[in-house]
Amino acid sequence: MKNRLIKPILLIITGIACLFFAMPTVFADVDKTALISERNNIQSILNDHDLYFAESYEAFEADLTAIGGIAYVDSVIADELATQIMIDDLTNQLIQLQNQLITHLLHAQMDLLYAAAKATPHPESTLRSLVLYNDELDRIGDILNDPRAGDEAIAVLDTDLTNALDLLILLGDRTNLISSYQEVQTLALSDGHDYTPNSFSLFLSAYSAFTLTDIDGYSMTVDEIANFSDASVDEVAAAEAEISVALSLLIDRPDLTLLSSQYQTADSKDLSPYTPNSITDYEVTLAEVLSVINNPNSEQSDVDQALALLSTIDNQLVLLADKADLIYSNKAASIAYYEERNRYTETSHELFRQAVLSYGAYQTVQLLIDDPNATQA
């Protein structure tokens, strides 16, 4: 019985001994090169602590102490039983400690730029943009005041300060806008007598949008911008543009005095000496001019065109032809051709007959005599 117990015990002791002597082989592949390198970097920082921003270095020391300090790092390096996971984790912690450090010179430079930005007023900017700008400065200040921000984050703060200025929006001068808006408000309440009815109606439609419709690209109406003390330059310009467009729709009523006077003169002209066709053309032109006078939406260009028509209207009239000589000659030729033929020699009468036929028979000439529109030519 006693021998049976001794054998298992010996086996257990043998296994433990083998495991103990095999341990150096199990941990032989552990790499501590990176850890040793970062440990040396930490030591350099400790030696040159004057290079770092005081608060940042204090945070660095506190964090290093929290993980056990250099002594702990050295113990891990010396520990033959340390696992690779333990070594890598400690290496990363040391890297993080270094990354969180802020050098004194860099912090001083950025702090100077930040202080200047905080001290610079921007009265030319809108209050809305100043809120955004100051929020960005606060964000930058939080980074600058974070002892663990690290040089990488601090180094870009000058760019952040520059970009923060882009958040500022110039405050607009509403002087002209307010004046223009008051002008259109007054005009909209008038009867619009000085303008053509159609154009005044278009103006009123545009004006109604000033209080109802946001300007394209902006979240405010013309009325809101005109009454908004924090309106930006772009917003003021947009509102002024809308007012300009509305005013451009208005067309002044033309002065019809000269046109009406010249029309009356032309309309009272005695047309009896002229051919019917030319009188018709004359009256058609008069009707065109009258339509301009009677059209409340006539523009100055219409008036100018009508005046041009009146300036040449007399050229349309054609005087009635004086047909007395033609009537006499045609009657004499008819008598000679038919009634007095025997008075002339056959040879001379034949020549006369041929001449008559060359300009037409009596009936042809008579048609010309009877045509009221025949010209003197």
Side-chain angles (χ1 to χ4, degrees):
M1 181 69 178
K2 186 174 183 181
N3 290 335
R4 291 179 183 177
L5 293 173
I6 292 173
K7 189 174 181 180
I9 292 172
L10 289 174
L11 290 173
I12 294 171
I13 293 172
T14 301
I16 293 172
C18 291
L19 179 62
F20 176 78
F21 288 110
M23 286 182 66
T25 302
V26 173
F27 294 98
D29 294 331
V30 172
D31 184 2
K32 300 179 180 179
T33 305
L35 177 59
I36 293 171
S37 176
E38 298 305 330
R39 182 266 179 212
N40 293 335
N41 290 338
I42 294 295
Q43 186 61 59
S44 296
I45 293 171
L46 293 172
N47 295 339
D48 299 325
H49 61 84
D50 289 341
L51 296 176
Y52 300 96
F53 176 50
E55 293 180 10
S56 179
Y57 183 75
E58 290 173 2
F60 166 80
E61 279 190 318
D63 294 340
L64 180 59
T65 299
I67 65 174
I70 284 290
Y72 172 70
V73 177
D74 288 341
S75 69
V76 173
I77 293 173
D79 187 359
E80 294 183 354
L81 299 179
T83 65
Q84 191 66 55
I85 293 176
M86 179 190 304
I87 292 169
D88 291 344
D89 182 61
L90 183 57
T91 301
N92 290 332
Q93 289 184 64
L94 296 182
I95 291 173
Q96 183 178 2
L97 289 179
Q98 296 171 69
N99 290 340
Q100 291 175 346
L101 269 172
I102 304 171
T103 52
H104 174 71
L105 181 59
L106 179 61
H107 187 276
Q109 291 173 340
M110 295 305 163
D111 190 54
L112 185 63
L113 293 175
Y114 174 74
K118 289 288 287 184
T120 303
H122 295 280
E124 75 286 355
S125 302
T126 64
L127 295 177
R128 292 168 292 163
S129 67
L130 281 172
V131 170
L132 297 177
Y133 175 73
N134 288 324
D135 285 347
E136 178 62 6
L137 288 188
D138 289 343
R139 184 191 69 82
I140 293 171
D142 290 341
I143 295 174
L144 196 60
N145 293 325
D146 181 0
R148 295 178 175 83
D151 271 357
E152 185 176 348
I154 299 298
V156 299
L157 293 184
D158 58 340
T159 300
D160 290 349
L161 287 170
T162 300
N163 292 339
L165 292 172
D166 293 336
L167 297 173
L168 294 173
I169 300 174
L170 289 177
L171 185 66
D173 182 354
R174 295 180 298 127
T175 304
N176 292 335
L177 171 60
I178 292 172
S179 176
S180 298
Y181 190 41
Q182 290 174 343
E183 176 186 345
V184 297
Q185 286 176 315
T186 301
L187 185 56
L189 294 174
S190 71
D191 59 7
H193 176 75
D194 294 334
Y195 306 98
T196 62
N198 283 353
S199 70
F200 191 69
S201 177
L202 292 174
F203 164 77
L204 290 178
S205 295
Y207 171 76
S208 66
F210 290 174
T211 56
L212 301 175
T213 307
D214 288 348
I215 299 175
D216 188 27
Y218 299 88
S219 59
M220 287 187 287
T221 65
V222 170
D223 182 78
E224 288 170 338
I225 293 174
N227 291 289
F228 187 32
S229 60
D230 200 45
S232 68
V233 168
D234 289 346
E235 290 165 341
V236 170
E240 289 177 336
E242 291 294 313
I243 290 176
S244 295
V245 169
L247 289 174
S248 70
L249 298 173
L250 292 169
I251 298 175
D252 292 334
R253 283 182 184 267
D255 184 354
L256 299 174
T257 304
L258 178 60
L259 181 62
S260 297
S261 175
Q262 292 189 5
Y263 171 81
Q264 291 298 331
T265 299
D267 188 49
S268 61
K269 187 179 183 69
D270 180 12
L271 301 179
S272 60
Y274 304 102
T275 63
N277 282 354
S278 68
I279 291 174
T280 298
D281 293 340
Y282 185 89
E283 290 177 340
V284 167
T285 300
L286 279 181
E288 291 180 21
V289 173
L290 184 60
S291 69
V292 172
I293 295 173
N294 291 335
N295 183 4
N297 289 301
S298 291
E299 303 177 17
Q300 187 60 48
S301 59
D302 299 320
V303 173
D304 293 340
Q305 184 177 357
L307 285 170
L309 289 176
L310 287 178
S311 69
T312 60
I313 192 171
D314 285 346
N315 297 338
Q316 295 177 291
L317 293 173
V318 178
L319 287 170
L320 292 169
D322 182 358
K323 303 175 182 177
D325 290 343
L326 179 60
I327 293 172
Y328 174 79
S329 296
N330 194 42
K331 184 175 182 180
S334 178
I335 292 173
Y337 190 89
Y338 295 106
E339 298 178 17
E340 298 181 348
R341 180 175 181 177
N342 294 331
R343 294 180 57 186
Y344 308 103
T345 65
E346 289 186 5
T347 301
S348 64
H349 190 272
E350 179 60 24
L351 291 174
F352 169 73
R353 190 180 71 82
Q354 292 296 330
V356 169
L357 292 177
S358 68
Y359 67 78
Y362 172 83
Q363 290 82 357
T364 301
V365 175
Q366 190 60 44
L367 288 175
L368 181 61
I369 293 172
D370 294 337
D371 183 4
N373 291 302
T375 65
Q376 192 65 46

